Amino acid sequence: MSLYLFLGLLALCSAYALARGGAPERASALLQLGAFAADEAVHRLIDGSAYTALATGSLLVDLTLLGALLVLAAKCTRHWPLWVAGWQLAAIVAHLAKLLDPAMQATGYAIQLQIWAYPMLLATAVGTYRYRMRRAAGLIEPDWKTLDGRPIGT
C-alpha cells in the first residue's frame, strides 16, 4: 500500500473528525491515530521481520484497538462504529491466518493487515459528515448511551 496515500487519508479523516465530529467521532479518530503510532513503533522496534513471520507486537496493538472500538460501539449512539470494529476484526483474522500458515507470502499478509484501515478511516469521516448534517438540521442527539440503550444527556 502507498504509505503517502494512507498518511494523507489518515491526516484528512482524523483532522475532520477531530475538528467537526462529536465525541464518538473524535474518539474513533484518536484511537486510530494512536494505534497507527503504536503500530509503527512496534513494527520498527519489535516486528521488524517485514511480515515474513507473525507480527506479534502488531497483533497486540490490533487486539487493543479492537477492544477499544468495541467499547466505543457499545457506548455510543451511532451505528458506524460497529462497521469500524468489524473491519478491525478482519485485521485480526489476517494475523490468525499467518499463525495458521507461517509460509503465507509476506506481501499478502501485509496487505491483509493494512487494507482494512482505509474503510475504517472513511467510515469515521462519513460518520462525522452525517453527524454534521444532523446538527445542521437541528437534530440534537446524545453521544452516549448506557449498556441497556438509554441515552445519556443531550
Side-chain angles (χ1 to χ4, degrees), residues 41-149:
V42 163
H43 188 69
R44 293 182 194 290
L45 298 173
I46 298 170
D47 293 336
S49 65
Y51 300 103
T52 56
L54 178 68
T56 309
S58 292
L59 173 59
L60 293 175
V61 171
D62 286 343
L63 284 169
T64 302
L65 178 58
L66 176 62
L69 290 170
L70 288 171
V71 170
L72 176 65
K75 296 292 287 178
C76 79
T77 58
R78 321 286 202 265
H79 297 289
W80 63 265
L82 291 170
W83 286 94
V84 176
W87 285 314
Q88 182 60 25
L89 180 60
I92 302 298
V93 170
H95 287 294
L96 294 177
K98 183 64 173 179
L99 182 65
L100 293 172
D101 181 13
M104 178 191 295
Q105 290 288 329
T107 303
Y109 180 38
I111 289 171
Q112 287 181 57
L113 288 179
Q114 297 166 8
I115 196 75
W116 304 110
Y118 290 87
M120 290 169 65
L121 289 169
L122 292 172
T124 302
V126 169
T128 301
Y129 174 78
R130 291 180 47 85
Y131 168 77
R132 297 305 308 166
M133 293 300 101
R134 288 190 303 275
R135 296 284 295 197
L139 299 172
I140 308 298
E141 63 187 2
D143 290 330
W144 306 109
K145 64 183 178 185
T146 61
L147 288 179
D148 64 357

Side-chain angles (χ1 to χ4, degrees), residues 13-54:
C13 292
S14 297
Y16 180 55
L18 290 170
R20 307 290 289 161
E25 291 79 17
R26 291 191 306 270
S28 179
L30 288 172
L31 288 170
Q32 291 176 73
L33 283 167
F36 173 75
D39 192 59
E40 280 297 304
V42 163
H43 188 69
R44 293 182 194 290
L45 298 173
I46 298 170
D47 293 336
S49 65
Y51 300 103
T52 56
L54 178 68

